[in-house]
Amino acid sequence: MSHVDFDQLISLENTHAVKLEARETVFGRADVLPVWVADMDFAAPQAVTDALIKRARHPVYGYTMFPDSLYSAMGDWFRQRHQWSMQREWVLMAPGVVPSIHAACMACTNPGDEVIIQPPVYPPFFSSVQQTGRQVLENPLLAEKQEDGSLYYRMNLAHLEQCAARPQAKMLVLCSPHNPIGRVWSEAELTAVLDICRRYKLVLLSDEIHCDLVFSDSHRHRMLAALARPDDQLITAVAPSKTFNIPGLGLSALVIADSGLRQKMAKVLESFHMPQSNPFSVTGFEAAYCYGGPWLDQLMDYLQANRDFVVNQVAQRLPGLEVSAPEGTYLMWLDCRVLGLSDADLKHFFVQQAGVGMNQGVSFGASGSGFMRLNIGSPRATLEQVIERIQAALSARE
Ligand SMILES: Cc1ncc(COP(=O)(O)O)c(C=O)c1O
């Protein structure tokens, strides 16, 4: 495959991109450098674009089935890349992972039941539970300070067991790899989670949307389902959307080996008419899994260099701020507590003084207070500007 130029700056103007156009609403300024919402600034794999153009050339855009070739493409991807084999009938299609979490709350729990999540975590994990009338039960991650001052997060398995033992606890939503702190959970950690859920009869929804975005110097990502037994109450959510930068196409998959659990989920999805999709998401999904591999390999090299660049630059140029190298995802978790600012003031500082638009750590739960989430899925030149602007804003504070 030819070299992909991830340094290329592609303007998102006139594409209605959330990352650009929601800036005024989210930050109160439309000119902040957009390093927030979790999509990337890179062109999707050429093969995906070619397939979409080919489909668009056919001028009838009617209701569309999920062809067998789509299931094969996905199955081949996970078998080859993740050594995980799934059966065709285990798969349910959905219009996204977040709607799937909502659906799972409705299908597998009753109003008032508790659903365990492990903050700091992707905000819709909270809202899916709350908006469906269930209760959030938090098992906060443990943050260990490393020698260089940065943090390494682990699951609190002892507290997880206490949560699981509560009679109202019915489900755990796992983020694997974990947004926003970038952990790729080890096999030992995943096995322990499976064991707890099995013993306390919890449904386990494993959101593995970031499973392909793992750095070469991390241990490998293990699909939870590859470690599970067929009768485990496990729902695996995957999608090509983060991997190949096609989240706007909106299509994901749920893989559920247990037929009873699968039927419950199918019933809820069907009640929303959710299995219906559109010709472009089907085309993009299949093309990405069929042809996107070589592009992804180059992407990961580029992101790893971005990650190492940010780690070095923060250490050299942003005194007091701390960041650790994530094991996976294109998200970095910037510890800004040294600034001693409230969350509102921290946001104000980055937006108004630095002109940088990142996600507020506190939106990932109370333990994210004092942190910011930086999206490194951008050309290096953008990250250079981010560092420069933050450095200048920090100097102006002194
Ligand atoms: C952990 C996680 N799950 C789900 C999503 C979004 O999934 P979808 O767009 O398929 O609803 C994101 C996006 O950032 C995410 O980080």
PDB file of all heavy atoms in Angstrom, residues 38 95-99 101 122 125 175 177 179 207 209-210 239 241-242 247 251-252 331 373, ligand 1:
ATOM      1  N   ALA A  38     -14.247  12.961  19.908  1.00  0.00           N
ATOM      2  CA  ALA A  38     -13.373  11.852  19.506  1.00  0.00           C
ATOM      3  C   ALA A  38     -13.622  11.356  18.080  1.00  0.00           C
ATOM      4  O   ALA A  38     -14.135  10.265  17.854  1.00  0.00           O
ATOM      5  CB  ALA A  38     -13.493  10.709  20.511  1.00  0.00           C
ATOM      6  N   PRO A  95     -27.248   1.174  15.287  1.00  0.00           N
ATOM      7  CA  PRO A  95     -26.802   2.439  14.679  1.00  0.00           C
ATOM      8  C   PRO A  95     -25.706   3.143  15.469  1.00  0.00           C
ATOM      9  O   PRO A  95     -25.421   4.306  15.214  1.00  0.00           O
ATOM     10  CB  PRO A  95     -28.077   3.275  14.654  1.00  0.00           C
ATOM     11  CG  PRO A  95     -28.887   2.741  15.775  1.00  0.00           C
ATOM     12  CD  PRO A  95     -28.547   1.295  15.913  1.00  0.00           C
ATOM     13  N   GLY A  96     -25.092   2.471  16.428  1.00  0.00           N
ATOM     14  CA  GLY A  96     -24.012   3.087  17.179  1.00  0.00           C
ATOM     15  C   GLY A  96     -23.856   2.380  18.516  1.00  0.00           C
ATOM     16  O   GLY A  96     -24.751   1.640  18.945  1.00  0.00           O
ATOM     17  N   VAL A  97     -22.724   2.625  19.152  1.00  0.00           N
ATOM     18  CA  VAL A  97     -22.469   1.968  20.435  1.00  0.00           C
ATOM     19  C   VAL A  97     -23.278   2.634  21.545  1.00  0.00           C
ATOM     20  O   VAL A  97     -23.804   1.956  22.429  1.00  0.00           O
ATOM     21  CB  VAL A  97     -20.952   1.971  20.739  1.00  0.00           C
ATOM     22  CG1 VAL A  97     -20.676   1.469  22.143  1.00  0.00           C
ATOM     23  CG2 VAL A  97     -20.223   1.104  19.712  1.00  0.00           C
ATOM     24  N   VAL A  98     -23.399   3.950  21.506  1.00  0.00           N
ATOM     25  CA  VAL A  98     -24.147   4.620  22.577  1.00  0.00           C
ATOM     26  C   VAL A  98     -25.624   4.191  22.575  1.00  0.00           C
ATOM     27  O   VAL A  98     -26.144   3.782  23.621  1.00  0.00           O
ATOM     28  CB  VAL A  98     -23.968   6.154  22.516  1.00  0.00           C
ATOM     29  CG1 VAL A  98     -24.883   6.841  23.517  1.00  0.00           C
ATOM     30  CG2 VAL A  98     -22.513   6.515  22.795  1.00  0.00           C
ATOM     31  N   PRO A  99     -26.304   4.207  21.412  1.00  0.00           N
ATOM     32  CA  PRO A  99     -27.665   3.673  21.436  1.00  0.00           C
ATOM     33  C   PRO A  99     -27.715   2.228  21.918  1.00  0.00           C
ATOM     34  O   PRO A  99     -28.698   1.804  22.532  1.00  0.00           O
ATOM     35  CB  PRO A  99     -28.120   3.761  19.972  1.00  0.00           C
ATOM     36  CG  PRO A  99     -27.144   4.623  19.272  1.00  0.00           C
ATOM     37  CD  PRO A  99     -25.930   4.770  20.112  1.00  0.00           C
ATOM     38  N   ILE A 101     -25.844   0.914  24.243  1.00  0.00           N
ATOM     39  CA  ILE A 101     -25.764   0.890  25.712  1.00  0.00           C
ATOM     40  C   ILE A 101     -27.148   1.212  26.293  1.00  0.00           C
ATOM     41  O   ILE A 101     -27.612   0.557  27.233  1.00  0.00           O
ATOM     42  CB  ILE A 101     -24.684   1.869  26.236  1.00  0.00           C
ATOM     43  CG1 ILE A 101     -23.305   1.499  25.671  1.00  0.00           C
ATOM     44  CG2 ILE A 101     -24.632   1.861  27.769  1.00  0.00           C
ATOM     45  CD1 ILE A 101     -22.192   2.493  26.002  1.00  0.00           C
ATOM     46  N   TYR A 122     -16.170   7.680  29.598  1.00  0.00           N
ATOM     47  CA  TYR A 122     -16.929   8.321  28.521  1.00  0.00           C
ATOM     48  C   TYR A 122     -18.335   8.739  29.025  1.00  0.00           C
ATOM     49  O   TYR A 122     -19.108   7.889  29.482  1.00  0.00           O
ATOM     50  CB  TYR A 122     -17.006   7.303  27.384  1.00  0.00           C
ATOM     51  CG  TYR A 122     -17.724   7.739  26.147  1.00  0.00           C
ATOM     52  CD1 TYR A 122     -17.376   8.911  25.488  1.00  0.00           C
ATOM     53  CD2 TYR A 122     -18.733   6.945  25.603  1.00  0.00           C
ATOM     54  CE1 TYR A 122     -18.032   9.282  24.324  1.00  0.00           C
ATOM     55  CE2 TYR A 122     -19.388   7.313  24.439  1.00  0.00           C
ATOM     56  CZ  TYR A 122     -19.040   8.490  23.818  1.00  0.00           C
ATOM     57  OH  TYR A 122     -19.692   8.859  22.679  1.00  0.00           O
ATOM     58  N   PHE A 125     -21.752   6.824  29.250  1.00  0.00           N
ATOM     59  CA  PHE A 125     -21.934   5.689  30.160  1.00  0.00           C
ATOM     60  C   PHE A 125     -22.839   6.116  31.324  1.00  0.00           C
ATOM     61  O   PHE A 125     -23.647   5.342  31.807  1.00  0.00           O
ATOM     62  CB  PHE A 125     -20.586   5.191  30.709  1.00  0.00           C
ATOM     63  CG  PHE A 125     -19.831   4.270  29.789  1.00  0.00           C
ATOM     64  CD1 PHE A 125     -19.819   4.471  28.417  1.00  0.00           C
ATOM     65  CD2 PHE A 125     -19.110   3.192  30.292  1.00  0.00           C
ATOM     66  CE1 PHE A 125     -19.120   3.618  27.562  1.00  0.00           C
ATOM     67  CE2 PHE A 125     -18.411   2.329  29.456  1.00  0.00           C
ATOM     68  CZ  PHE A 125     -18.411   2.549  28.092  1.00  0.00           C
ATOM     69  N   CYS A 175     -15.383  -0.324  29.604  1.00  0.00           N
ATOM     70  CA  CYS A 175     -14.811   0.404  28.482  1.00  0.00           C
ATOM     71  C   CYS A 175     -13.422  -0.194  28.231  1.00  0.00           C
ATOM     72  O   CYS A 175     -12.532  -0.064  29.072  1.00  0.00           O
ATOM     73  CB  CYS A 175     -14.705   1.888  28.850  1.00  0.00           C
ATOM     74  SG  CYS A 175     -14.437   2.953  27.442  1.00  0.00           S
ATOM     75  N   PRO A 177     -10.474  -0.858  25.123  1.00  0.00           N
ATOM     76  CA  PRO A 177      -9.664   0.032  25.953  1.00  0.00           C
ATOM     77  C   PRO A 177     -10.491   1.194  26.519  1.00  0.00           C
ATOM     78  O   PRO A 177     -11.557   1.490  26.002  1.00  0.00           O
ATOM     79  CB  PRO A 177      -8.601   0.554  24.994  1.00  0.00           C
ATOM     80  CG  PRO A 177      -8.512  -0.466  23.918  1.00  0.00           C
ATOM     81  CD  PRO A 177      -9.890  -1.022  23.775  1.00  0.00           C
ATOM     82  N   ASN A 179     -11.604   4.804  27.512  1.00  0.00           N
ATOM     83  CA  ASN A 179     -11.668   6.251  27.253  1.00  0.00           C
ATOM     84  C   ASN A 179     -12.128   6.914  28.542  1.00  0.00           C
ATOM     85  O   ASN A 179     -13.188   6.534  29.046  1.00  0.00           O
ATOM     86  CB  ASN A 179     -12.683   6.481  26.122  1.00  0.00           C
ATOM     87  CG  ASN A 179     -13.041   7.940  25.919  1.00  0.00           C
ATOM     88  OD1 ASN A 179     -12.426   8.827  26.477  1.00  0.00           O
ATOM     89  ND2 ASN A 179     -14.061   8.182  25.110  1.00  0.00           N
ATOM     90  N   ASP A 207     -17.715  -2.436  25.874  1.00  0.00           N
ATOM     91  CA  ASP A 207     -17.617  -1.482  24.770  1.00  0.00           C
ATOM     92  C   ASP A 207     -16.169  -1.497  24.273  1.00  0.00           C
ATOM     93  O   ASP A 207     -15.272  -0.967  24.924  1.00  0.00           O
ATOM     94  CB  ASP A 207     -18.023  -0.091  25.290  1.00  0.00           C
ATOM     95  CG  ASP A 207     -17.826   1.017  24.260  1.00  0.00           C
ATOM     96  OD1 ASP A 207     -17.175   0.778  23.238  1.00  0.00           O
ATOM     97  OD2 ASP A 207     -18.314   2.137  24.515  1.00  0.00           O
ATOM     98  N   ILE A 209     -15.065  -0.362  21.272  1.00  0.00           N
ATOM     99  CA  ILE A 209     -15.000   0.475  20.064  1.00  0.00           C
ATOM    100  C   ILE A 209     -13.558   0.913  19.755  1.00  0.00           C
ATOM    101  O   ILE A 209     -13.214   1.158  18.610  1.00  0.00           O
ATOM    102  CB  ILE A 209     -15.945   1.700  20.202  1.00  0.00           C
ATOM    103  CG1 ILE A 209     -16.223   2.351  18.847  1.00  0.00           C
ATOM    104  CG2 ILE A 209     -15.421   2.720  21.190  1.00  0.00           C
ATOM    105  CD1 ILE A 209     -17.352   3.381  18.863  1.00  0.00           C
ATOM    106  N   HIS A 210     -12.696   0.968  20.798  1.00  0.00           N
ATOM    107  CA  HIS A 210     -11.304   1.398  20.578  1.00  0.00           C
ATOM    108  C   HIS A 210     -10.344   0.211  20.424  1.00  0.00           C
ATOM    109  O   HIS A 210      -9.129   0.398  20.494  1.00  0.00           O
ATOM    110  CB  HIS A 210     -10.836   2.276  21.752  1.00  0.00           C
ATOM    111  CG  HIS A 210     -11.581   3.577  21.882  1.00  0.00           C
ATOM    112  ND1 HIS A 210     -11.320   4.676  21.099  1.00  0.00           N
ATOM    113  CD2 HIS A 210     -12.596   3.957  22.692  1.00  0.00           C
ATOM    114  CE1 HIS A 210     -12.115   5.683  21.424  1.00  0.00           C
ATOM    115  NE2 HIS A 210     -12.915   5.267  22.385  1.00  0.00           N
ATOM    116  N   ALA A 239     -17.219  -1.532  16.446  1.00  0.00           N
ATOM    117  CA  ALA A 239     -17.573  -0.726  15.269  1.00  0.00           C
ATOM    118  C   ALA A 239     -16.280  -0.364  14.540  1.00  0.00           C
ATOM    119  O   ALA A 239     -15.219  -0.266  15.174  1.00  0.00           O
ATOM    120  CB  ALA A 239     -18.281   0.559  15.699  1.00  0.00           C
ATOM    121  N   SER A 241     -15.928   2.513  13.374  1.00  0.00           N
ATOM    122  CA  SER A 241     -16.027   3.976  13.309  1.00  0.00           C
ATOM    123  C   SER A 241     -14.791   4.701  13.843  1.00  0.00           C
ATOM    124  O   SER A 241     -14.304   5.632  13.206  1.00  0.00           O
ATOM    125  CB  SER A 241     -17.279   4.430  14.058  1.00  0.00           C
ATOM    126  OG  SER A 241     -17.348   3.850  15.330  1.00  0.00           O
ATOM    127  N   LYS A 242     -14.292   4.295  15.023  1.00  0.00           N
ATOM    128  CA  LYS A 242     -13.083   4.957  15.541  1.00  0.00           C
ATOM    129  C   LYS A 242     -11.871   4.509  14.748  1.00  0.00           C
ATOM    130  O   LYS A 242     -11.010   5.310  14.386  1.00  0.00           O
ATOM    131  CB  LYS A 242     -12.848   4.590  17.020  1.00  0.00           C
ATOM    132  CG  LYS A 242     -13.945   4.970  17.948  1.00  0.00           C
ATOM    133  CD  LYS A 242     -13.949   6.432  18.263  1.00  0.00           C
ATOM    134  CE  LYS A 242     -15.260   6.774  18.927  1.00  0.00           C
ATOM    135  NZ  LYS A 242     -15.633   8.163  18.882  1.00  0.00           N
ATOM    136  N   PRO A 247     -16.947   7.704  11.979  1.00  0.00           N
ATOM    137  CA  PRO A 247     -18.029   7.654  12.971  1.00  0.00           C
ATOM    138  C   PRO A 247     -19.314   8.308  12.479  1.00  0.00           C
ATOM    139  O   PRO A 247     -20.401   7.950  12.927  1.00  0.00           O
ATOM    140  CB  PRO A 247     -17.449   8.399  14.180  1.00  0.00           C
ATOM    141  CG  PRO A 247     -16.426   9.311  13.608  1.00  0.00           C
ATOM    142  CD  PRO A 247     -15.842   8.560  12.435  1.00  0.00           C
ATOM    143  N   LEU A 251     -22.730   3.150  12.246  1.00  0.00           N
ATOM    144  CA  LEU A 251     -23.159   1.748  12.243  1.00  0.00           C
ATOM    145  C   LEU A 251     -22.210   0.960  13.138  1.00  0.00           C
ATOM    146  O   LEU A 251     -20.997   1.130  13.058  1.00  0.00           O
ATOM    147  CB  LEU A 251     -23.124   1.190  10.807  1.00  0.00           C
ATOM    148  CG  LEU A 251     -23.615  -0.250  10.622  1.00  0.00           C
ATOM    149  CD1 LEU A 251     -25.059  -0.418  11.063  1.00  0.00           C
ATOM    150  CD2 LEU A 251     -23.473  -0.669   9.149  1.00  0.00           C
ATOM    151  N   SER A 252     -22.793   0.141  14.004  1.00  0.00           N
ATOM    152  CA  SER A 252     -21.960  -0.666  14.886  1.00  0.00           C
ATOM    153  C   SER A 252     -22.559  -2.059  14.977  1.00  0.00           C
ATOM    154  O   SER A 252     -23.613  -2.329  14.396  1.00  0.00           O
ATOM    155  CB  SER A 252     -21.887  -0.017  16.265  1.00  0.00           C
ATOM    156  OG  SER A 252     -23.146  -0.073  16.893  1.00  0.00           O
ATOM    157  N   LEU A 331      -6.560   9.337  22.600  1.00  0.00           N
ATOM    158  CA  LEU A 331      -6.964  10.324  23.597  1.00  0.00           C
ATOM    159  C   LEU A 331      -5.917  10.373  24.696  1.00  0.00           C
ATOM    160  O   LEU A 331      -5.377   9.331  25.088  1.00  0.00           O
ATOM    161  CB  LEU A 331      -8.322   9.915  24.169  1.00  0.00           C
ATOM    162  CG  LEU A 331      -9.384   9.687  23.074  1.00  0.00           C
ATOM    163  CD1 LEU A 331     -10.576   8.915  23.603  1.00  0.00           C
ATOM    164  CD2 LEU A 331      -9.811  11.022  22.459  1.00  0.00           C
ATOM    165  N   ARG A 373      -9.064  16.313  28.515  1.00  0.00           N
ATOM    166  CA  ARG A 373      -8.800  15.241  27.553  1.00  0.00           C
ATOM    167  C   ARG A 373      -8.403  15.833  26.213  1.00  0.00           C
ATOM    168  O   ARG A 373      -9.137  16.620  25.630  1.00  0.00           O
ATOM    169  CB  ARG A 373     -10.020  14.347  27.379  1.00  0.00           C
ATOM    170  CG  ARG A 373      -9.680  13.074  26.601  1.00  0.00           C
ATOM    171  CD  ARG A 373     -10.928  12.314  26.196  1.00  0.00           C
ATOM    172  NE  ARG A 373     -11.650  12.978  25.123  1.00  0.00           N
ATOM    173  CZ  ARG A 373     -12.716  12.486  24.492  1.00  0.00           C
ATOM    174  NH1 ARG A 373     -13.187  11.309  24.870  1.00  0.00           N
ATOM    175  NH2 ARG A 373     -13.324  13.142  23.523  1.00  0.00           N
TER     176      ARG A 373
HETATM  177  C1  LIG B   1     -15.927   4.324  24.590  1.00  0.00           C
HETATM  178  C2  LIG B   1     -16.800   4.885  23.518  1.00  0.00           C
HETATM  179  N1  LIG B   1     -17.950   4.282  23.211  1.00  0.00           N
HETATM  180  C3  LIG B   1     -18.758   4.754  22.247  1.00  0.00           C
HETATM  181  C4  LIG B   1     -18.437   5.898  21.540  1.00  0.00           C
HETATM  182  C5  LIG B   1     -19.368   6.420  20.480  1.00  0.00           C
HETATM  183  O1  LIG B   1     -19.959   5.377  19.808  1.00  0.00           O
HETATM  184  P1  LIG B   1     -21.084   5.631  18.712  1.00  0.00           P
HETATM  185  O2  LIG B   1     -20.691   6.840  17.925  1.00  0.00           O
HETATM  186  O3  LIG B   1     -21.047   4.355  17.918  1.00  0.00           O
HETATM  187  O4  LIG B   1     -22.373   5.800  19.451  1.00  0.00           O
HETATM  188  C6  LIG B   1     -17.249   6.569  21.844  1.00  0.00           C
HETATM  189  C7  LIG B   1     -16.904   7.819  21.137  1.00  0.00           C
HETATM  190  O5  LIG B   1     -16.076   8.567  21.544  1.00  0.00           O
HETATM  191  C8  LIG B   1     -16.411   6.046  22.848  1.00  0.00           C
HETATM  192  O6  LIG B   1     -15.250   6.646  23.156  1.00  0.00           O
END
